[in-house]
């Protein structure tokens, strides 16, 4: 039977003639940090102090004893970052140049000193660039010339920390006669039964040995012979429980076990969990353009998505528990789809297993982003090899529903001046429209493939055409007010976002001792977007009266709060509008869920794992049922009742035209009905539309669905419409009462209180509130759960009041 021996102990890292203790898996930066050689690059401006690390060569060493009672011993690296030589007692075992692949070397009967000598990623990439010629790139870094996590070289939300190291596990495998080299599980559901076809490749030491395959799922068993080095075994499960995305059903998973045998003895075993489900991507043309709608088990769905970047710039630090925490945050926010973005990595099994269990659909980019990628050797062979390995590795996961060729490169070729600069040089099109779809079609025909995001489906339409395929909406953040989201209806919005700084406690940890201001040195260093603070300021000025310079501590606190409000409002403007146009628009994927370090960015959860107000707003925006007030096509206001639940929705709707002083100017009640998976649109009577800056409209719906379903929290759903920007609204000075009980803060409004927010981390760095922005009418109250803060009594009420923020009258 194959035996595996992890190689995690006894590693050293050579540094200036010294041997430092090294963690494997790990990377150079984390080892140097643990040894006290470098400061924490996440704090202050230390990032610049450690830039030298990415320009150096590094060597990891350990003693290797490969002797065993088996016929063969292999040294297996699951991941090496990135360009390295592997030597055993000075003898070269091999050279590698791809972070996204695993490697295997025959070390049978050999012992000695193992060395993994890493070249600088800069040196390797720049040598390839010199050989193949320069290509256009969104950043002045050479990441397209090396198969490495692109955002190691910095991004508009990430630091430039170019890593090296043994970033995934390494082990010895001892085996005899034969081992399982690859298993491709093709899982299909046709009518009643679920079928699993396991296509198996083996490696042999004895060609003449008769090999068998035995597979089982529960009580279902099957057997087949190995013909040479390959074989296929098929299982049929009668009437399996189907795997569904969260919100649509359960996520049953089935254990599959495959045993490679010889003369009645087991030589090797392969185990995975699978789920039975079908997935289709409808890209058919219609009167609106070209669709892009996912269907799981025949049910078409509006994808409620978030973009995922590596959760740490040093991916070896991301544990199984951390993946689970972050993805649970996504699921708890109503997310049902996570897009693994193409400037990062193929994530570990822990990521996809968590998605399987949580019912999160996975859209997987191949790792290409924002640059022209050469198609010549040595890159072309590496691209195909990594694609083949990772397609097969990830195939068992039912959560994986879409392969995507790249991020923004087809768009870049057409719109960013690449075509002229390239003058006929290769740039990646052969990967996205050739190599990758061919690999997916050959190895994983059960899943759809799309050439890129954005992508209209063919060169007949602009790559980022809103009416065709996937669309990235970045004009709004870069140049326009977020109200412009409401001006069009893309078929699928795969990227859009708005920035905000991280939580206050995160800033305090990352910028110790700094007097915080939007343009203070540390704040600017932790803002990587071009003119990011300028865009934040211009975005605020369209809605709020804010200081332009000379920030006091109070001014910074207001700026910090208002930028977070603006982020939540911006995303709400897009999602509410686009969801109200289902099924023409079939999904939104917010940029982005998470951060890889403490930074001002588009994330809903900051680099320390603290939710921003946007996170809580997503819980409302991505709930099964949503009320929103929108401009009608023919003028006037329309109330859209979005019902993505599987049950019809019947409710009582109350519309109130109100003054900011709390007076009800006019109101009416009416019945609201929305069938399952539909949007009901109701015109607002003209006499209820607010007039002038002092008035606004409140829409409340309460009541139970016609059959089953959950009761809405607080007794109902609410939508608000203010006809003018906040800076023009004559808000009253907010008045409210605060009481504190263990684990809860209750606020009772005596006036209109707009976008009340409890910043719990100002009470204690570890404190978390379960509620984000909430608007209270006079006499209304809200109770916000707080964990990680134990204070009580009068002093606690005053402390809580100091951590409460809301929109104030324009000064």
């Amino acid at each position: 039977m194959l035996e595996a021996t992890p190689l995690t102990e006894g590693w050293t890292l050579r540094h200036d003639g010294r041997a430092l203790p090294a963690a494997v898996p790990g990377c150079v930066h984390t080892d140097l940090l643990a040894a006290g050689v470098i400061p924490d690059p996440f704090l202050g401006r230390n990032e610049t102090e450690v830039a030298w690390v990415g320009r150096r060569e590094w060597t990891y060493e350990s003693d290797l004893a490969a002797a065993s009672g088996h016929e063969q011993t292999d040294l297996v690296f699951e991941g090496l970052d990135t360009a390295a030589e592997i030597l055993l007692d000075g003898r070269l075992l091999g050279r590698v140049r791809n972070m996204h692949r695993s490697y295997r070397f025959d070390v049978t009967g050999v012992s000695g000193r193992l060395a993994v000598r890493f070249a600088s990623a800069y040196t390797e990439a720049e040598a390839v660039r010199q050989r193949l010629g320069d290509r256009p790139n969104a950043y002045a870094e050479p990441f397209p010339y090396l198969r490495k996590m692109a955002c190691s070289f910095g991004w508009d939300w990430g630091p430039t920390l170019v890593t090296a190291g043994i970033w995934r596990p390494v082990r010895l495998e001892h085996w005899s006669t034969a081992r399982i080299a690859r298993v491709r599980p093709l899982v299909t559901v046709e009518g009643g039964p679920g079928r699993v076809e396991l296509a198996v490749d083996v490696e042999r030491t004895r060609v003449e040995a008769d090999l068998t395959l035995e597979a089982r799922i529960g009580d279902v068993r099957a057997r087949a012979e190995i013909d040479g080095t390959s074989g296929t075994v098929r299982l049929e499960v009668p009437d399996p429980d189907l795997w569904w995305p969260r919100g649509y059903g359960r996520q049953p998973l089935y254990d599959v076990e495959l045993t490679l045998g010889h003369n009645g003895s087991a030589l090797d075993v392969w185990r995975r969990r699978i789920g039975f489900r079908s997935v289709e991507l409808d890209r058919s043309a219609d009167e609106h353009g070209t669709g892009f709608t996912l269907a799981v088990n025949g049910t078409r769905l509006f994808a409620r998505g978030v973009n995922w970047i590596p959760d740490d710039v040093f991916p070896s630090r991301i544990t199984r528990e951390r993946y689970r925490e972050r993805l649970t945050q996504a699921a708890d926010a109503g997310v049902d789809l996570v897009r693994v973005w193409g400037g990062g990595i193929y994530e570990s099994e822990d990521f996809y297993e968590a998605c399987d269990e949580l019912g999160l659909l996975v859209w997987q980019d191949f790792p290409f982003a924002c640059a022209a990628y050469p198609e010549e050797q040595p890159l072309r062979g590496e691209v195909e090899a990594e694609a083949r390995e990772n397609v097969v590795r990830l195939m068992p996961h039912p959560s994986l529903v879409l392969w995507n060729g790249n991020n923004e490169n087809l768009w870049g070729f057409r719109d960013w001046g690449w075509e002229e600069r390239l003058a006929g040089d290769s740039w990646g099109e052969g990967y996205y429209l050739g190599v990758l779809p061919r690999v997916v079609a050959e190895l994983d025909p059960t899943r759809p493939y799309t050439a890129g995001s954005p992508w209209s489906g063919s060169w007949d339409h602009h790559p980022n055409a809103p009416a065709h395929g996937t669309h990235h909406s970045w004009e709004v953040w870069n140049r326009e007010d977020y109200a412009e989201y409401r001006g069009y209806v893309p078929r699928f919005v795969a990227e859009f976002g708005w920035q905000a700084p991280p939580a206050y406690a995160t800033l305090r940890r990352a910028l110790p001792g700094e007097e915080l201001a939007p343009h203070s040195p540390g704040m600017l260093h932790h803002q990587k977007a071009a003119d990011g603070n300028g865009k934040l300021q211009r975005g605020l000025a369209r809605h709020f009266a804010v200081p332009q310079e000379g920030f006091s501590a109070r001014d910074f606190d207001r700026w910090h709060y208002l930028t977070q409000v603006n982020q939540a409002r911006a995303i709400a403007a897009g999602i509410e509008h686009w969801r109200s146009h289902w099924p023409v628009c079939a999904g939104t994927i917010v940029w982005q869920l998470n951060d890889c370090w403490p930074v001002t960015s588009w994330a809903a959860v900051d680099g320390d794992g603290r939710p921003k107000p946007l996170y809580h707003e997503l819980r409302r925006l991505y709930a099964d049922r949503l009320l929103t007030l929108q401009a009608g096509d023919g003028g006037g206001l329309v109330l859209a009742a979005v019902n993505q639940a599987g049950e019809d929705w019947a409710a009582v709707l109350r519309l109130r035209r109100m003054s900011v002083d709390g007076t009800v100017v006019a109101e009416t009640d009416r019945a609201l009905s929305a069938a399952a998976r539909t949007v009901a649109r109701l015109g607002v009577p003209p006499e209820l539309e607010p007039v002038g800056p002092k008035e606004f409209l409140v829409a409340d719906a309460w009541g139970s669905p016609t059959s089953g379903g959950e009761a809405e929290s607080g007794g109902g759903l609410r939508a608000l419409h203010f006809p003018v920007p906040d800076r023009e609204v004559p808000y009253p000075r907010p008045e409210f009462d605060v009481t504190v009980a263990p684990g809860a803060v209750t606020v009772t409004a005596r006036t209109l209180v707009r976008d009340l927010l409890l910043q719990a981390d100002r009470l204690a760095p570890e404190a978390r509130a379960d509620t984000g922005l909430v608007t209270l009418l006079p006499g209304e109250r809200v109770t916000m759960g707080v964990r990680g803060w134990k204070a009580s009594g009068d002093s606690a009420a005053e402390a809580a009041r100091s951590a409460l923020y809301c929109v104030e009258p324009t000064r």
Side-chain angles (χ1 to χ4, degrees), residues 413-435:
F413 178 76
R414 179 55 51 87
D415 266 8
W416 301 349
W418 294 5
E419 190 168 4
E420 296 77 14
R421 286 183 56 191
L422 286 163
D425 286 345
S426 66
W427 56 275
E429 183 182 28
Y431 298 145
Y432 320 134
L433 298 178
V435 173

Side-chain angles (χ1 to χ4, degrees), residues 227 293 497 680 747:
D227 182 12
T293 303
V747 177

Side-chain angles (χ1 to χ4, degrees), residues 247-248 624-625 643-649 675-677 707:
Y248 290 82
D624 280 350
R625 298 189 177 95
N643 182 22
Q644 203 163 344
E647 304 86 19
D648 294 345
W649 180 21
R677 319 285 192 211
S707 61

Side-chain angles (χ1 to χ4, degrees), residues 66-145:
S68 76
H70 288 270
E71 295 174 352
Q72 181 150 335
T73 297
D74 294 335
L75 174 63
V76 181
F77 293 95
E78 290 188 22
L80 293 168
D81 177 16
T82 294
E85 294 181 334
I86 297 87
L87 302 104
L88 188 57
D89 273 351
R91 178 174 65 89
L92 182 67
L93 295 180
R95 294 185 175 91
V96 302
R97 60 195 325 148
N98 192 329
M99 179 182 184
H100 305 303
R101 292 179 60 188
S102 63
Y103 296 95
R104 179 180 294 266
F105 302 99
D106 185 350
V107 292
T108 305
V110 181
S111 297
R113 191 67 173 168
L114 176 65
V116 184
R117 185 181 300 158
F118 290 95
S120 161
Y122 278 111
T123 301
E124 173 72 13
E126 288 162 355
V128 174
R129 175 168 60 187
Q130 184 174 8
R131 189 168 130 203
L132 301 183
D134 198 18
R135 301 291 201 283
N137 185 350
Y139 300 96
E141 295 283 342
F143 65 83
Y145 305 94

Side-chain angles (χ1 to χ4, degrees), residues 494-506:
E495 278 189 24
F496 73 110
W498 198 273
Q499 273 200 350
Y504 184 78
T506 300

